[in-house]
């Protein structure tokens, strides 16, 4: 009896040991998506970005390193303190090893700083594009995937100038974001043989752009450049259409425009607008097939941010598999080594300063007559290769870049 009891105890202890070991072996690889789920940036990212991240995990097979992939999604409400707090909680207490999407520049900077301090997670930014993320506030665990203010300025200028836009007039929102766009774009206009014939500044949340648009019309500019965003951009485009700018000889260009902005405006108002984007759902058979799947989930076509989330999460998982680890620094090194090839881009490369190099598309919004179906909004004018869109590393202010 004693022998049986002893064996039973040993067996019980062995089973308990297995129970203690098994959950650790099956711990999921957790990716946390922090976005604006109900505010200003919710349409371009939000729940659609969450869906895109889950699609990336499913397309990878649902597992990496024989561990299940888990996608966590949360609303940071565009508040820096909530964004930083959630990021730290996920990294320190829930084992999250990657943070994705991250709308709002202030939130993105706070989250990247938290990840830099902990080095427990990589940061895959798609919805924010402040240049500081890849320059003065660059992190060894940070990557900016879809766009940034400097590359948007450069690609928009080059795209419009290829279409004959030599003389430029800027309507700029009067704070740091607008000033940076105007400064960089003006520099590229002059460097490419163009001239800036005028500029005006408007306050944030302007409701009447009439005086600015009249000055632009009278300037003789080929291009009226809207260095603004959000609700101000929508208002400016609506009123530009009312003044006839989008249908005349002058080209109206926007530096930061998303597919959902055009959807909200409607083609009648947005027609003729020239913009640059890193993704368009109707570009080729591959993008159309993926977008059709996305539409089945979200009942909307994907923005460049949502396609970028799919790409960045998928590339992260490839790097984890190749590295055999979720250690942030190890995975980031592997992410830089592996080229980015997916529905978002081909032959993309994550550079040392955290910029993901990829081509950009110059597009013009179709007229209602040109559009053949819902979400058929863009005609692609040209493709700008990555080496024409991004600045050389020698121009970087990033402290981690070896000069």
């Amino acid at each position: 009896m004693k022998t049986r009891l002893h064996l039973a105890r040993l067996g019980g202890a062995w089973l308990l040991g297995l129970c203690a070991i098994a959950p650790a072996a099956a711990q999921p690889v957790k990716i946390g998506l922090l976005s604006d789920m109900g505010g200003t940036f919710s349409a371009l990212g939000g729940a659609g970005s969450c869906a895109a991240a889950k699609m990336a995990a499913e397309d990878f097979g649902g597992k990496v390193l024989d561990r299940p992939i888990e996608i966590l999604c949360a609303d940071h409400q565009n508040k820096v303190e909530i964004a930083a707090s959630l990021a730290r909680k996920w990294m320190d207490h829930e084992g999250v090893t990657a943070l994705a999407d991250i709308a709002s520049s202030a939130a993105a900077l706070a989250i990247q700083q938290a990840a830099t301090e902990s080095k427990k997670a990589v940061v895959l930014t798609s919805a924010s594009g402040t240049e500081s993320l890849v320059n003065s506030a660059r992190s060894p665990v940070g990557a900016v995937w879809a766009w940034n203010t400097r590359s948007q300025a450069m690609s928009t200028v080059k795209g419009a100038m290829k279409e004959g836009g030599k003389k430029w007039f800027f309507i700029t929102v009067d704070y740091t974001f607008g000033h940076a766009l105007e400064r960089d774009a003006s520099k590229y206009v002059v460097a490419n043989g163009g001239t800036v014939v005028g500029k005006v500044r408007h306050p944030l949340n302007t409701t009447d752009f009439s005086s600015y648009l009249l000055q632009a019309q009278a300037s003789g500019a080929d291009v009226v450049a809207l260095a603004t965003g959000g609700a101000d951009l929508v208002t400016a485009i609506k009123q530009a259409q009312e003044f006839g700018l989008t249908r005349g000889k002058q080209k109206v260009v926007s530096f930061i425009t998303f597919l959902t902005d055009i959807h909200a405006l409607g083609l009648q108002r947005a027609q003729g607008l020239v913009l640059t984007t890193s993704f368009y759902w109707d570009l080729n058979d591959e993008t159309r097939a993926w977008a059709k799947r996305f539409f089945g989930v979200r009942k909307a076509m994907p923005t460049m941010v949502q396609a970028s989330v799919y790409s960045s999460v998928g590339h992260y998982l490839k790097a984890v598999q190749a590295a055999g680890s979720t250690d942030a620094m190890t995975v980031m090194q592997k992410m830089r080594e592996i080229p980015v090839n997916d529905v978002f881009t081909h032959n993309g490369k994550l550079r040392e300063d955290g910029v993901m190099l990829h081509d950009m598309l110059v597009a013009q919004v179709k007229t209602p007559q040109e559009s053949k179906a819902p979400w058929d909004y863009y005609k692609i004018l040209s493709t700008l290769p990555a080496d024409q869109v991004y600045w050389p590393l020698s121009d970087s202010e990033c402290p981690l870049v070896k000069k």
Side-chain angles (χ1 to χ4, degrees):
M1 179 64 73
K2 286 183 178 179
T3 302
R4 288 180 183 175
L5 183 60
H6 180 64
L7 288 172
R9 284 174 176 167
L10 283 175
W14 180 75
L15 285 170
L16 284 171
L18 274 183
C19 290
I21 294 168
Q27 278 291 316
V29 173
K30 294 182 180 181
I31 299 169
L33 187 133
L34 282 162
S35 191
D36 171 6
M37 296 295 181
T40 304
F41 308 114
S42 58
L44 63 92
S49 287
C50 186
K54 289 179 178 179
M55 286 175 67
E58 290 165 7
D59 289 351
F60 199 78
K63 286 188 175 184
V64 62
L65 304 181
D66 293 323
R67 295 161 58 185
I69 303 163
E70 185 177 340
I71 305 294
L72 308 178
C73 297
D75 183 0
H76 63 38
Q77 302 172 43
N78 293 323
K79 294 180 179 177
V80 173
E81 63 276 12
I82 293 176
S85 176
L86 276 169
R88 288 194 176 93
K89 178 173 176 273
W90 276 354
M91 289 186 292
D92 294 341
H93 304 295
E94 299 190 30
V96 167
T97 55
L99 299 162
D101 188 88
I102 315 174
S104 165
S105 295
L109 287 165
I111 288 168
Q112 184 158 286
Q113 179 60 34
T116 301
E117 292 167 1
S118 74
K119 292 191 173 57
K120 293 178 180 177
V122 304
V123 182
L124 310 168
T125 304
S126 291
S128 175
T130 177
E131 187 193 357
S132 298
L133 289 166
V134 292
N135 262 325
S136 57
R138 163 77 175 107
S139 167
V141 294
V144 175
W145 219 256
W147 64 279
N148 64 72
T149 51
R150 189 170 173 184
S151 66
Q152 286 295 126
M154 186 184 294
S155 57
T156 303
V157 167
K158 289 191 174 181
M161 292 190 79
K162 283 179 73 173
E163 299 299 313
K166 295 294 185 181
K167 295 185 289 184
W168 287 62
F169 187 98
F170 286 86
I171 299 176
T172 304
V173 63
D174 196 10
Y175 72 101
T176 306
F177 165 76
H179 299 172
L181 278 175
E182 181 191 289
R183 180 196 65 232
D184 289 337
S186 298
K187 181 173 67 176
Y188 301 136
V189 167
V190 173
N192 285 275
T195 57
V196 177
V197 297
K199 58 182 73 174
V200 289
R201 300 273 173 88
H202 74 82
L204 190 63
N205 298 322
T206 298
T207 57
D208 184 3
F209 281 82
S210 58
S211 65
Y212 311 125
L213 293 167
L214 285 170
Q215 290 180 65
Q217 276 186 318
S219 69
D222 303 316
V223 177
V224 178
L226 303 176
T228 188
D232 285 333
L233 175 64
V234 172
T235 302
I237 293 172
K238 284 180 181 178
Q239 293 179 15
Q241 191 273 335
E242 291 166 5
F243 277 80
L245 266 72
T246 56
R247 299 186 304 278
K249 291 183 178 179
Q250 289 179 311
K251 296 288 186 185
V252 179
V253 305
S254 169
F255 293 100
I256 311 291
T257 313
F258 299 95
L259 190 70
T260 43
D261 294 330
I262 307 304
H263 189 68
L265 282 163
L267 291 180
Q268 188 62 44
R269 286 173 167 164
Q271 61 183 302
L273 181 71
V274 176
L275 55 93
T276 53
T277 181
S278 53
F279 177 84
Y280 182 48
W281 72 268
D282 199 20
L283 184 64
N284 55 46
D285 289 343
E286 184 183 15
T287 58
R288 283 188 286 273
W290 182 80
K292 183 178 179 180
R293 290 174 53 213
F294 182 92
F295 188 90
V297 177
R298 294 295 305 156
K299 307 307 177 192
M301 285 303 179
T303 65
M304 68 172 175
V305 166
Q306 292 155 348
S308 167
V309 168
Y310 175 85
S311 172
S312 63
V313 170
H315 193 71
Y316 168 76
L317 293 170
K318 290 176 188 175
V320 168
Q321 189 69 48
S325 169
T326 57
D327 173 75
M329 295 293 284
T330 304
V331 172
M332 281 299 296
Q333 178 60 40
K334 193 59 67 174
M335 288 179 71
R336 287 192 288 269
E337 292 173 6
I338 302 172
V340 183
N341 284 299
D342 52 37
V343 71
F344 180 73
T345 194
H346 289 282
N347 297 316
K349 178 175 175 56
L350 181 59
R351 205 165 63 174
E352 189 179 350
D353 58 353
V355 175
M356 203 279 275
L357 304 172
H358 55 78
D359 298 347
M360 295 290 287
L361 305 170
V362 182
Q364 186 170 33
V365 178
K366 291 182 175 182
T367 66
Q369 294 73 31
E370 290 172 320
S371 179
K372 303 303 181 187
W375 296 94
D376 177 23
Y377 294 158
Y378 296 166
K379 51 185 175 185
I380 304 303
L381 301 178
S382 62
T383 299
L384 296 174
D387 61 3
Q388 293 182 23
V389 172
Y390 296 96
W391 59 96
L393 269 179
S394 57
D395 288 351
S396 176
E397 298 168 15
C398 170
L400 302 177
V401 173
K402 297 171 184 174
K403 298 292 179 89

